[in-house]
């Protein structure tokens, strides 16, 4: 291991995701294991600009592996988007004698980390933490599995009401730019239709599918809609359109919203966060920098941050096929 890095900073940025605390815990304890000091940076890049730092030891992260959210908090930072803000962030890092930085977040967070590294030659490592699972270089992001379980649990409860009243429910889930949550949760919850940004279903096809469901004997239906899908201006407009053209359906809309971000992380997310975090610290200590640690074929792997920022993820074609087969 390298003796050039004696102090590592860690921050969480972007939307919170279940498992971020598990990652913070693993980073702090891996640093301690290798006799390296760990500094928590509060409120993401804004805390970096303002110097909101605190040294963290192994006992400071007791009892957080099971907690959702992030003990380091997260915030947007207009200041960090400026050259002056990034210079202030760098000055704070140097004053605190922080030699390297680990950023837990999404592609926007990694873009900020890359800028800081490029402008001031600070070694950085990225750990993917976002429920949307929309980051290139990993099959799973921290928080995705927990969000899926939250959605499936909610849809199971909604189905009880749908079947009792013979209603059609449109359930909107998160996924502004990607349909991973909608597709996986839709299959897991047995939804009759799944609408995602990557697949242009079209209103007429949706109506035909719902007509077939009715004719096949289904008295109630669940349609999972990713928030980025724009068949209508929003899911409420989509529900009104279907109710107007298929008056035999009594339509209701449920928007799950930010409840998908909360809750205790699943075992999968706790283990994933721990694996990625240990690798992130040890990669920095090996003298490597500017990578994201991800999971590829169930193996921890490194991908250059520049490829993460420029990359994108596609939905699983096999899952789409499975969905088409079993939603009859």
């Amino acid at each position: 291991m390298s003796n050039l890095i004696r102090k590592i900073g860690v921050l969480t940025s972007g939307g919170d995701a279940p498992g971020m605390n598990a990652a913070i815990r693993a980073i702090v304890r891996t640093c301690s294991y290798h006799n390296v000091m760990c500094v928590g940076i509060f409120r993401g890049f804004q805390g970096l600009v303002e110097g909101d730092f605190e040294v963290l030891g192994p006992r400071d992260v007791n009892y957080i592996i099971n907690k959702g959210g992030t003990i380091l908090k997260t915030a947007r930072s207009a200041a960090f988007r400026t050259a002056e803000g990034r210079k202030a962030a760098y000055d704070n890092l140097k004053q605190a004698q922080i030699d390297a930085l680990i950023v837990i977040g999404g592609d926007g967070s990694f873009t900020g980390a890359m800028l800081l590294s490029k402008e001031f030659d600070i070694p950085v490592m990225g750990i993917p933490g976002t429920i949307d699972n929309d980051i290139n270089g990993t099959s799973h992001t921290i928080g995705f599995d927990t969000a899926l379980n939250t959605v499936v649990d909610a849809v199971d409860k909604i189905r009880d009401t749908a079947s009792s009243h013979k209603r059609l429910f449109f359930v909107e889930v998160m996924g502004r730019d990607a349909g991973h949550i909608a597709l996986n949760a839709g299959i897991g919850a047995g939804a009759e239709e799944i609408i995602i940004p990557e697949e242009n279903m079209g209103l007429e096809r949706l109506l035909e599918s719902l007509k077939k469901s009715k004719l096949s004997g289904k008295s109630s239906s669940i349609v999972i809609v990713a928030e980025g899908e724009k068949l209508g201006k929003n899911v409420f407009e989509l529900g009104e359109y279907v109710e107007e053209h298929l008056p035999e359906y009594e339509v209701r809309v449920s928007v799950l919203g930010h409840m998908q971000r909360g809750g205790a992380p699943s075992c999968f997310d706790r283990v994933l966060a721990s694996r990625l975090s240990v690798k992130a610290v040890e990669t920095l200590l090996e003298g490597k920098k500017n990578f994201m640690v991800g999971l590829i074929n169930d193996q921890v792997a490194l991908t250059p941050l520049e490829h993460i920022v420029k990359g994108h993820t596609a939905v699983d074609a096999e899952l789409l096929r499975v969905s088409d087969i079993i939603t009859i």
Side-chain angles (χ1 to χ4, degrees), residues 1 25 30 32 58-59 84 87 99 141 151 196 209 230 234 251 263 307:
M1 296 292 177
R25 173 181 179 270
T30 306
S32 179
R59 301 289 74 81
E84 295 79 11
K87 178 61 165 59
D99 304 306
T141 57
V151 171
I196 59 177
S209 176
K230 298 302 180 186
N234 54 55
V251 178
H307 294 171

Side-chain angles (χ1 to χ4, degrees), residues 70-265:
T70 163
I71 63 167
L72 292 179
K73 313 300 182 186
T74 181
R76 297 184 184 278
S77 178
F80 190 79
R81 295 190 180 97
T82 68
E84 295 79 11
R86 293 191 295 277
K87 178 61 165 59
Y90 169 73
D91 289 342
N92 288 331
L93 287 171
K94 298 312 292 180
Q95 184 175 354
Q97 297 182 316
I98 294 173
D99 304 306
L101 181 66
I102 296 176
V103 175
I104 308 168
D107 60 348
S109 303
F110 298 156
T111 299
M114 279 186 58
L115 273 174
L116 194 67
S117 180
K118 180 179 179 180
E119 293 173 356
F120 302 105
D121 196 29
I122 293 289
V124 299
M125 289 291 296
I127 297 177
T130 169
I131 68 169
D132 289 338
N133 206 46
D134 58 351
I135 296 180
N136 185 38
T138 186
S139 61
H140 291 77
T141 57
I142 296 169
F144 176 57
D145 183 71
T146 305
L148 288 181
N149 290 327
T150 298
V151 171
V152 169
D153 183 62
V155 174
D156 286 347
K157 291 177 171 63
I158 289 171
R159 189 177 288 282
D160 291 343
T161 293
S163 60
S164 296
H165 295 272
K166 297 184 177 181
R167 287 172 176 164
L168 165 63
F169 267 85
F170 284 91
V171 181
E172 183 185 89
V173 301
M174 284 185 167
R176 184 180 58 192
D177 301 311
H180 298 288
I181 292 176
L183 180 57
N184 285 268
I187 292 174
E192 278 66 37
E193 284 296 340
I194 302 167
I195 303 175
I196 59 177
E198 294 88 343
E199 292 288 307
N200 184 15
M201 183 177 194
L203 288 169
E204 291 307 313
R205 181 184 160 195
L206 174 61
L207 292 178
E208 285 302 314
S209 176
L210 293 173
K211 286 178 184 177
K212 288 179 180 177
S213 292
K214 198 74 170 180
L215 291 172
S216 71
K218 290 184 179 180
S219 61
S220 64
S221 292
I222 300 287
V223 179
I224 303 292
V225 184
E227 64 178 322
E229 175 53 52
K230 298 302 180 186
L231 281 181
K233 290 182 180 178
N234 54 55
V235 69
F236 294 98
E237 184 180 275
L238 180 59
E240 290 172 1
Y241 178 88
V242 170
E243 194 164 40
E244 178 184 346
H245 288 79
L246 298 176
E248 62 270 28
Y249 274 113
E250 185 180 356
V251 178
R252 294 290 185 272
V253 173
S254 181
V255 178
L256 298 187
H258 285 80
M259 69 176 292
Q260 296 162 85
R261 290 195 184 279

Side-chain angles (χ1 to χ4, degrees), residues 5 58 63 68 90 136 154 172 251 268 286 294 298 304 320 325-327:
I5 293 180
Y63 314 120
Y90 169 73
N136 185 38
E172 183 185 89
V251 178
F268 181 91
E286 290 168 359
D298 200 34
L320 288 172
I325 291 172
I326 66 176
T327 54

